[in-house]
Amino acid sequence: MAQTSRRQETRKIASLGLAAWVLLLPIALVSLGIWQTQRAAETLEHARRSSAELSTTLAQVKNIAASDPTAILTFQGAGEPTSLAALVAVSQIEAALSQADEELEISQIRRPLVWGTIGGAVLAFFGGALGLMAAGISGIRARVSQRQLIASFQRLRSLLPFILATVVIGFSIGVISAALFEAVSMGLWADFTTGSAKLFAVAVVLAVIAAYSAFTALRGLKDVFALFTPEPLVAAGRVIEETEAPELWRFARSLAGRQHALLPDTIIVGLGQGFFVTESQLRLWPEDRLVTGRSLYLPAAYLDLLDQAEIAAIIGHELAHFSGEDTTYSQQFTPIYAGLWRALAALGRADGGRFVLYPAVKLGFHAMQRFDHAVAHWSRLREFDADRSGSLLATPADAASALIRTGIIAPAVAYVLQRAYAGPDDTGSDDAWPDLVAQTTELVTTNGWSDPMPLLGDRQPHPTDSHPPTIQRISALGVEIGDDLLRRAMRQPEPGARSFADDLFSDWAGLCRLLSKDFIDDARMMRDRRREVLEKVVAGASQETVVYDNVKPMIWTMVIVAMIFAGFGLTVVFLSGQLGLGYDEFAQSLIAAITAFGAVTSLLYAAFLYRSAARPLMVLTPDALLASRLDKPVAWTDVAGYAVYASSRFALRLWLNQDAPVPKKHWRAIYSKIDRRQRIITLGALGIKGMKAADFSALVGRYHQAAYARQELAAAMLHPSRDASADETAGKY
């Protein structure tokens, strides 16, 4: 209940945030535009009236000045009446008329901008509202049927780029117009000071940034939505031609015919965990081969440990996805749906500082999330239907046994592959390549199976789709998880007995060795790359680095403080009369003593800092950090994490591993701290001489990473491989 409540609260907060960005922000812009409209109308009317009145007054005053230049005229303004000579009045009225005409011109320029603010905000509002409505309707329709899911998604996929572009364009126009309106309005201010000029510059810069952000956002929107195109899936395996496994193809053809499903165009066998089918393009390594059409992927280790009925149920399940609406679903929806999620994720990463893109990104993610529940719902039903279809080729009990057995095979496969990945590099000939499939079978034959009960809540692995938990799939088959089912699913392989896979392939053992060679070759390449990266990291921190406390700024500060104390004391002593102290010798002596004490203390502290500047603050060696504040070094491999702070005071904070020894700090290190309960070391300082905080953080990071890299390299040299038969963890896979 608590988790459900928290989930609902989180969903509510997210909905409020979305509404604020997509709806309330445009409404706020509209309100700003309405306010600007009123201001623009008032200033325009005032400017027109002032211009007309001043023009009339100027004509009258000019007539008077022409007949009597020395005539004194009295003008009634907002304050006291003003009397001016006629010629002087002409000059001042002309200046006022020029200013009024300038205000009139500014008012006429900024009046259209209010419609840009309102129009852009309205466009953004309707774009956001349309997006929310389209997402809501599409999400509701998507729950009606798989066909409606595909149709609704395709419609939304076509509309979404235009909706997001509308939001970006509208929001950009509104922000730019509002910023320019306020920038132009500053020309109407009577006291255009330096501060006003700064505000003007800020408004113009904001408008320029908004315009540039809009341009880059729309360009990014265009480029990112090109990522709609599905990318090929990547898998490791070998294509199995019919000549290599005639019985496998005959078996698959028989299963497809019995359930009226389409036969796969390509069958692939690999060491990956999990059976799957796909109609997307599939890129296979190590051959770098692009496979198109309907593909069926079979994991070799599973084939070796399942019987005929279980394999029939599993392949029947997968082939069921090649029938009915599943074919359209897998071709037209799944890869494009995943591609659109990738596009929106890329769009979100590209947002950066382009604030005008943020509402569109929020709206895009919301639209996709409306489909998530429908996608999960139909994926769940598809899997249940495929399970029932597969069980018809054997029995429901065989299908249930296959579900449990594939779940307990997965840890064994992962265990063997992980050991092979860290295996030796001294394989000399093709005959020496191990058979990882046979090793998996031998492992479970010798050590037994893991407990299947915790695995029943797991989901079967799949590269593009999600599955319901295994226990729900077994329940949907109408099979009870009892002793008989568990005994069947956990049966031990018979030593020396042929598996069903031996009957399906012309050279099953040879194929398994070839797949094992592919895996080990790739593992060797990855280890070599990893070793190169680690050696490069180690080389970047192979010498020790000495860093010093940055005391120079504080020394100068203390000297200046001492001078201030001294100056104040001398002023009090020699100018006591002017300061009102008269001849109060006690007050003079007290102030002199206090200022002298302050000056001497400041100078002594400056001298202390000057002497301490010669001592290293820290020494960073490849193995450890030596700090003058600590009684012993801190090994880099004892440090779980670190952070450098430079806000109120400079500090290096180290989080130690649980088993690491905690040093003590010297009593004089008043700005350093040891938290033994949390295992945190905080080393305070005035700064690092010659380094900024970011540079020092990067330096500490290089030594920290290099120590762990050196440790990993040393472990690889000491333990290049492990004996599977003697490993203490066997049976815990």
Side-chain angles (χ1 to χ4, degrees):
M1 286 293 292
Q3 286 185 347
T4 303
S5 178
R6 283 196 299 268
R7 195 179 301 115
Q8 290 176 347
E9 188 68 23
T10 303
R11 195 174 297 141
K12 186 182 299 182
I13 293 173
S15 299
L16 291 175
L18 175 68
W21 277 100
V22 177
L23 299 178
L24 297 184
L25 186 58
I27 291 174
L29 269 177
V30 169
S31 302
L32 175 62
I34 293 173
W35 181 51
Q36 290 177 339
T37 302
Q38 296 173 349
R39 291 162 55 198
E42 290 173 359
T43 54
L44 180 60
E45 179 61 27
H46 179 268
R48 284 174 176 169
R49 186 170 57 251
S50 297
S51 179
E53 291 175 354
L54 287 171
S55 297
T56 302
T57 303
L58 180 62
Q60 294 173 350
V61 173
K62 279 184 176 181
N63 290 333
I64 296 173
S67 60
D68 185 4
T70 59
I72 302 299
L73 304 176
T74 301
F75 297 92
Q76 181 64 48
E80 295 294 327
T82 303
S83 298
L84 298 171
L87 288 177
V88 175
V90 169
S91 175
Q92 291 192 4
I93 293 172
E94 286 178 343
L97 180 60
S98 175
Q99 182 178 350
D101 290 340
E102 183 179 344
E103 291 180 358
L104 179 60
E105 185 178 353
I106 292 174
S107 299
Q108 290 172 339
I109 290 174
R110 71 176 190 162
R111 189 174 188 182
L113 292 174
V114 301
W115 301 113
T117 303
I118 295 174
V122 170
L123 185 64
F125 177 84
F126 279 108
L130 178 62
L132 292 175
M133 184 173 62
I137 293 174
S138 298
I140 293 172
R141 288 182 174 176
R143 299 176 188 177
V144 176
S145 67
Q146 275 194 103
R147 187 168 297 174
Q148 275 290 349
L149 170 65
I150 297 169
S152 298
F153 176 75
Q154 288 177 337
R155 280 194 295 267
L156 183 66
R157 172 194 165 192
S158 302
L159 284 174
L160 195 58
F162 297 101
I163 292 173
L164 300 188
T166 300
V167 173
V168 171
I169 293 171
F171 189 41
S172 302
I173 293 175
V175 171
I176 293 169
S177 299
L180 289 178
F181 180 92
E182 298 302 331
V184 172
S185 299
M186 293 176 192
L188 301 175
W189 294 7
D191 51 344
F192 194 75
T193 61
T194 303
S196 306
K198 291 180 179 178
L199 289 175
F200 176 81
V202 168
V204 172
V205 168
L206 179 62
V208 171
I209 291 175
Y212 175 75
S213 298
F215 170 74
T216 54
L218 290 174
R219 186 177 61 183
L221 199 64
K222 171 181 171 295
D223 294 340
V224 166
F225 273 96
L227 298 177
F228 265 135
T229 53
E231 297 178 358
L233 301 174
V234 179
R238 296 276 179 169
V239 173
I240 305 300
E241 305 294 345
E242 190 161 359
T243 55
E244 300 174 83
E247 291 301 322
L248 172 64
W249 278 92
R250 188 177 297 114
F251 185 60
R253 191 173 288 110
S254 171
L255 296 176
R258 289 168 58 188
Q259 62 184 161
H260 305 289
L262 296 173
L263 186 70
D265 301 312
T266 308
I267 297 180
I268 302 161
V269 177
L271 293 182
Q273 298 184 39
F275 296 79
F276 69 88
V277 292
T278 182
E279 295 189 66
S280 302
Q281 290 184 338
L282 191 65
R283 187 172 297 281
L284 292 180
W285 63 265
E287 298 175 292
D288 193 22
R289 179 174 178 178
L290 188 65
V291 178
T292 58
R294 297 182 300 274
S295 300
L296 169 64
Y297 186 93
L298 306 175
Y302 291 69
L303 292 177
D304 207 49
L305 290 166
L306 296 166
D307 62 21
Q308 180 175 351
E310 291 167 335
I311 293 175
I314 293 175
I315 294 181
H317 168 102
E318 299 301 338
L319 294 182
H321 290 307
F322 287 149
S323 62
E325 294 183 351
D326 276 8
T327 299
T328 306
Y329 185 90
S330 59
Q331 278 184 324
Q332 300 180 11
F333 179 78
T334 303
I336 301 175
Y337 182 73
L340 183 52
W341 264 115
R342 290 194 302 270
L344 286 172
L347 190 64
R349 291 191 298 269
D351 178 17
R354 290 175 279 176
F355 60 94
V356 296
L357 186 57
Y358 191 70
V361 172
K362 295 275 289 184
L363 180 60
F365 277 115
H366 169 75
M368 291 300 294
Q369 287 167 357
R370 294 292 296 175
F371 274 92
D372 278 351
H373 296 297
V375 170
H377 171 72
W378 292 115
S379 294
R380 176 189 179 94
L381 294 183
R382 289 170 65 242
E383 293 307 316
F384 288 152
D385 289 342
D387 283 339
R388 283 191 291 270
S389 181
S391 68
L392 297 177
L393 302 178
T395 66
D398 292 327
S401 174
L403 286 170
I404 296 175
R405 196 166 177 84
T406 52
I408 59 178
I409 289 173
V413 174
Y415 179 80
V416 170
L417 294 183
Q418 287 170 3
R419 290 179 59 82
Y421 184 85
D425 292 332
D426 55 358
T427 304
S429 65
D430 290 345
D431 294 338
W433 289 107
D435 183 345
L436 300 180
V437 176
Q439 284 187 11
T440 305
T441 301
E442 181 182 356
L443 180 67
V444 297
T445 302
T446 305
N447 297 282
W449 298 100
S450 301
D451 182 7
M453 300 310 293
L455 302 175
L456 294 180
D458 292 345
R459 291 169 167 83
Q460 297 292 332
H462 193 281
T464 62
D465 211 347
S466 60
H467 291 71
T470 300
I471 192 169
Q472 292 184 11
R473 297 173 67 183
I474 294 174
S475 177
L477 289 170
V479 178
E480 182 182 352
I481 302 176
D483 292 339
D484 291 340
L485 178 62
L486 292 176
R487 192 179 305 110
R488 165 142 165 63
M490 298 181 66
R491 65 189 182 279
Q492 292 291 100
E494 297 181 10
R498 286 171 57 86
S499 67
F500 181 59
D502 283 298
D503 299 329
L504 296 177
F505 295 85
S506 300
D507 185 6
W508 173 242
L511 174 61
C512 292
R513 284 195 299 271
L514 178 61
L515 296 174
S516 302
K517 179 180 182 300
D518 291 341
F519 180 86
I520 294 172
D521 280 343
D522 182 68
R524 175 184 296 175
M525 181 178 64
M526 295 298 291
R527 287 199 305 273
D528 290 343
R529 290 179 181 175
R530 175 70 177 171
R531 186 181 299 110
E532 291 175 4
V533 171
L534 293 175
E535 290 172 349
K536 186 176 180 179
V537 171
V538 169
S542 58
Q543 304 293 327
E544 72 176 30
T545 301
V546 181
V547 296
Y548 296 88
D549 204 350
N550 189 24
V551 298
K552 187 175 180 180
M554 184 57 72
I555 290 175
W556 279 107
T557 300
M558 290 297 101
V559 171
I560 293 172
V561 169
M563 293 173 63
I564 292 173
F565 273 118
F568 181 74
L570 293 173
T571 300
V572 169
V573 171
F574 291 103
L575 299 175
S576 57
Q578 291 82 343
L579 294 175
L581 296 176
Y583 297 98
D584 189 343
E585 295 182 358
F586 176 77
Q588 294 178 20
S589 301
L590 180 62
I591 294 174
I594 293 173
T595 54
F597 177 79
V600 171
T601 302
S602 300
L603 290 175
L604 288 175
Y605 185 54
F608 170 76
L609 292 176
Y610 180 78
R611 291 186 59 187
S612 67
R615 296 194 302 271
L617 175 67
M618 302 176 195
V619 180
L620 286 74
T621 72
D623 296 319
L625 170 69
L626 289 74
S628 59
R629 271 75 164 160
L630 303 177
D631 66 339
K632 58 184 176 182
V634 178
W636 291 115
T637 51
D638 287 340
V639 177
Y642 76 94
V644 175
Y645 300 92
S647 52
S648 58
R649 189 171 185 85
F650 191 94
L652 169 63
R653 183 166 294 173
L654 306 173
W655 285 267
L656 300 182
N657 293 317
Q658 287 299 319
D659 56 347
V662 181
K664 297 179 180 179
K665 75 179 184 71
H666 295 156
W667 65 271
R668 291 181 299 177
I670 57 176
Y671 295 114
S672 297
K673 181 181 178 182
I674 304 292
D675 187 338
R676 294 188 173 276
R677 177 175 296 180
Q678 300 292 329
R679 309 183 69 79
I680 299 174
I681 301 173
T682 302
L683 300 174
L686 296 173
I688 302 298
K689 184 178 180 181
M691 281 190 192
K692 295 182 179 179
D695 298 330
F696 179 65
S697 179
L699 177 68
V700 173
R702 286 199 298 273
Y703 278 90
H704 185 233
Q705 294 170 7
Y708 277 98
R710 190 179 300 106
Q711 184 183 60
E712 185 175 336
L713 288 172
M717 292 181 64
L718 289 173
H719 306 287
S721 63
R722 285 178 281 185
D723 184 2
S725 62
D727 196 289
E728 295 179 358
T729 62
K732 297 181 181 179
Y733 50 83

